[in-house]
PDB file of all heavy atoms in Angstrom:
ATOM      1  N   THR G 957      -0.196  15.322  -2.956  1.00 76.00           N
ATOM      2  CA  THR G 957       0.266  16.181  -4.043  1.00 76.00           C
ATOM      3  C   THR G 957      -0.361  17.568  -3.923  1.00 76.00           C
ATOM      4  O   THR G 957      -1.456  17.711  -3.386  1.00 76.00           O
ATOM      5  CB  THR G 957      -0.053  15.569  -5.416  1.00 76.00           C
ATOM      6  OG1 THR G 957       0.505  16.398  -6.430  1.00 76.00           O
ATOM      7  CG2 THR G 957      -1.542  15.451  -5.652  1.00 76.00           C
ATOM      8  N   GLU G 958       0.343  18.550  -4.413  1.00 76.00           N
ATOM      9  CA  GLU G 958      -0.148  19.924  -4.453  1.00 76.00           C
ATOM     10  C   GLU G 958      -0.941  20.125  -5.738  1.00 76.00           C
ATOM     11  O   GLU G 958      -0.544  19.668  -6.810  1.00 76.00           O
ATOM     12  CB  GLU G 958       1.042  20.882  -4.413  1.00 76.00           C
ATOM     13  CG  GLU G 958       0.665  22.306  -4.148  1.00 76.00           C
ATOM     14  CD  GLU G 958       1.886  23.188  -3.947  1.00 76.00           C
ATOM     15  OE1 GLU G 958       2.996  22.654  -3.824  1.00 76.00           O
ATOM     16  OE2 GLU G 958       1.701  24.404  -3.932  1.00 76.00           O
ATOM     17  N   LEU G 959      -2.072  20.807  -5.660  1.00 70.00           N
ATOM     18  CA  LEU G 959      -2.927  21.042  -6.822  1.00 70.00           C
ATOM     19  C   LEU G 959      -2.597  22.386  -7.459  1.00 70.00           C
ATOM     20  O   LEU G 959      -2.178  23.316  -6.768  1.00 70.00           O
ATOM     21  CB  LEU G 959      -4.389  20.992  -6.414  1.00 70.00           C
ATOM     22  CG  LEU G 959      -4.858  19.648  -5.856  1.00 70.00           C
ATOM     23  CD1 LEU G 959      -6.299  19.757  -5.383  1.00 70.00           C
ATOM     24  CD2 LEU G 959      -4.718  18.563  -6.889  1.00 70.00           C
ATOM     25  N   PRO G 960      -2.794  22.518  -8.787  1.00 67.00           N
ATOM     26  CA  PRO G 960      -2.447  23.758  -9.482  1.00 67.00           C
ATOM     27  C   PRO G 960      -3.208  24.979  -8.970  1.00 67.00           C
ATOM     28  O   PRO G 960      -2.673  26.069  -8.901  1.00 67.00           O
ATOM     29  CB  PRO G 960      -2.803  23.471 -10.941  1.00 67.00           C
ATOM     30  CG  PRO G 960      -2.912  22.012 -11.062  1.00 67.00           C
ATOM     31  CD  PRO G 960      -3.241  21.487  -9.712  1.00 67.00           C
ATOM     32  N   GLY G 961      -4.478  24.834  -8.591  1.00 70.00           N
ATOM     33  CA  GLY G 961      -5.271  25.964  -8.141  1.00 70.00           C
ATOM     34  C   GLY G 961      -5.108  26.267  -6.660  1.00 70.00           C
ATOM     35  O   GLY G 961      -5.825  27.095  -6.112  1.00 70.00           O
ATOM     36  N   GLY G 962      -4.204  25.592  -6.001  1.00 75.00           N
ATOM     37  CA  GLY G 962      -4.016  25.749  -4.559  1.00 75.00           C
ATOM     38  C   GLY G 962      -4.612  24.568  -3.822  1.00 75.00           C
ATOM     39  O   GLY G 962      -5.474  23.874  -4.333  1.00 75.00           O
ATOM     40  N   GLY G 963      -4.128  24.318  -2.651  1.00 75.00           N
ATOM     41  CA  GLY G 963      -4.612  23.190  -1.870  1.00 75.00           C
ATOM     42  C   GLY G 963      -3.826  21.930  -2.189  1.00 75.00           C
ATOM     43  O   GLY G 963      -2.789  21.974  -2.854  1.00 75.00           O
ATOM     44  N   PHE G 964      -4.328  20.811  -1.675  1.00 69.00           N
ATOM     45  CA  PHE G 964      -3.641  19.561  -1.917  1.00 69.00           C
ATOM     46  C   PHE G 964      -4.634  18.408  -1.956  1.00 69.00           C
ATOM     47  O   PHE G 964      -5.786  18.552  -1.567  1.00 69.00           O
ATOM     48  CB  PHE G 964      -2.574  19.314  -0.840  1.00 69.00           C
ATOM     49  CG  PHE G 964      -3.136  19.037   0.523  1.00 69.00           C
ATOM     50  CD1 PHE G 964      -3.291  17.734   0.961  1.00 69.00           C
ATOM     51  CD2 PHE G 964      -3.515  20.062   1.361  1.00 69.00           C
ATOM     52  CE1 PHE G 964      -3.818  17.473   2.209  1.00 69.00           C
ATOM     53  CE2 PHE G 964      -4.035  19.811   2.615  1.00 69.00           C
ATOM     54  CZ  PHE G 964      -4.189  18.508   3.046  1.00 69.00           C
ATOM     55  N   ALA G 965      -4.182  17.272  -2.452  1.00 74.00           N
ATOM     56  CA  ALA G 965      -4.978  16.047  -2.496  1.00 74.00           C
ATOM     57  C   ALA G 965      -4.121  14.913  -1.964  1.00 74.00           C
ATOM     58  O   ALA G 965      -2.895  14.950  -2.063  1.00 74.00           O
ATOM     59  CB  ALA G 965      -5.413  15.754  -3.931  1.00 74.00           C
ATOM     60  N   MET G 966      -4.777  13.903  -1.387  1.00 75.00           N
ATOM     61  CA  MET G 966      -4.037  12.753  -0.891  1.00 75.00           C
ATOM     62  C   MET G 966      -4.887  11.507  -1.037  1.00 75.00           C
ATOM     63  O   MET G 966      -6.098  11.586  -1.227  1.00 75.00           O
ATOM     64  CB  MET G 966      -3.626  12.954   0.559  1.00 75.00           C
ATOM     65  CG  MET G 966      -4.767  13.131   1.504  1.00 75.00           C
ATOM     66  SD  MET G 966      -4.103  13.464   3.136  1.00 75.00           S
ATOM     67  CE  MET G 966      -5.602  13.766   4.014  1.00 75.00           C
ATOM     68  N   GLY G 967      -4.232  10.348  -0.975  1.00 76.00           N
ATOM     69  CA  GLY G 967      -4.953   9.101  -1.101  1.00 76.00           C
ATOM     70  C   GLY G 967      -4.041   7.906  -0.928  1.00 76.00           C
ATOM     71  O   GLY G 967      -2.867   8.044  -0.582  1.00 76.00           O
ATOM     72  N   GLU G 968      -4.588   6.724  -1.185  1.00 79.00           N
ATOM     73  CA  GLU G 968      -3.844   5.479  -1.086  1.00 79.00           C
ATOM     74  C   GLU G 968      -3.941   4.740  -2.409  1.00 79.00           C
ATOM     75  O   GLU G 968      -4.945   4.827  -3.107  1.00 79.00           O
ATOM     76  CB  GLU G 968      -4.412   4.589   0.015  1.00 79.00           C
ATOM     77  CG  GLU G 968      -4.242   5.122   1.402  1.00 79.00           C
ATOM     78  CD  GLU G 968      -4.843   4.198   2.438  1.00 79.00           C
ATOM     79  OE1 GLU G 968      -5.410   3.160   2.068  1.00 79.00           O
ATOM     80  OE2 GLU G 968      -4.746   4.529   3.629  1.00 79.00           O
ATOM     81  N   ALA G 969      -2.897   4.000  -2.735  1.00 77.00           N
ATOM     82  CA  ALA G 969      -2.877   3.197  -3.954  1.00 77.00           C
ATOM     83  C   ALA G 969      -2.208   1.857  -3.634  1.00 77.00           C
ATOM     84  O   ALA G 969      -1.491   1.725  -2.644  1.00 77.00           O
ATOM     85  CB  ALA G 969      -2.122   3.918  -5.061  1.00 77.00           C
ATOM     86  N   ALA G 970      -2.430   0.895  -4.505  1.00 81.00           N
ATOM     87  CA  ALA G 970      -1.869  -0.441  -4.295  1.00 81.00           C
ATOM     88  C   ALA G 970      -0.363  -0.466  -4.488  1.00 81.00           C
ATOM     89  O   ALA G 970       0.349  -1.193  -3.805  1.00 81.00           O
ATOM     90  CB  ALA G 970      -2.540  -1.434  -5.236  1.00 81.00           C
ATOM     91  N   ASP G 971       0.146   0.332  -5.454  1.00 80.00           N
ATOM     92  CA  ASP G 971       1.584   0.346  -5.723  1.00 80.00           C
ATOM     93  C   ASP G 971       1.991   1.734  -6.234  1.00 80.00           C
ATOM     94  O   ASP G 971       1.163   2.631  -6.350  1.00 80.00           O
ATOM     95  CB  ASP G 971       1.970  -0.744  -6.724  1.00 80.00           C
ATOM     96  CG  ASP G 971       1.213  -0.635  -8.034  1.00 80.00           C
ATOM     97  OD1 ASP G 971       0.434   0.317  -8.212  1.00 80.00           O
ATOM     98  OD2 ASP G 971       1.413  -1.503  -8.887  1.00 80.00           O
ATOM     99  N   GLU G 972       3.271   1.903  -6.546  1.00 78.00           N
ATOM    100  CA  GLU G 972       3.776   3.206  -6.971  1.00 78.00           C
ATOM    101  C   GLU G 972       3.179   3.644  -8.305  1.00 78.00           C
ATOM    102  O   GLU G 972       2.858   4.825  -8.498  1.00 78.00           O
ATOM    103  CB  GLU G 972       5.295   3.169  -7.070  1.00 78.00           C
ATOM    104  CG  GLU G 972       5.898   4.523  -7.373  1.00 78.00           C
ATOM    105  CD  GLU G 972       7.410   4.518  -7.423  1.00 78.00           C
ATOM    106  OE1 GLU G 972       8.024   3.502  -7.063  1.00 78.00           O
ATOM    107  OE2 GLU G 972       7.964   5.548  -7.833  1.00 78.00           O
TER     108      GLU G 972
END
Side-chain angles (χ1 to χ4, degrees):
T957 184
E958 193 173 350
L959 298 176
F964 69 97
M966 61 184 175
E968 293 179 359
D971 57 4
E972 186 178 351

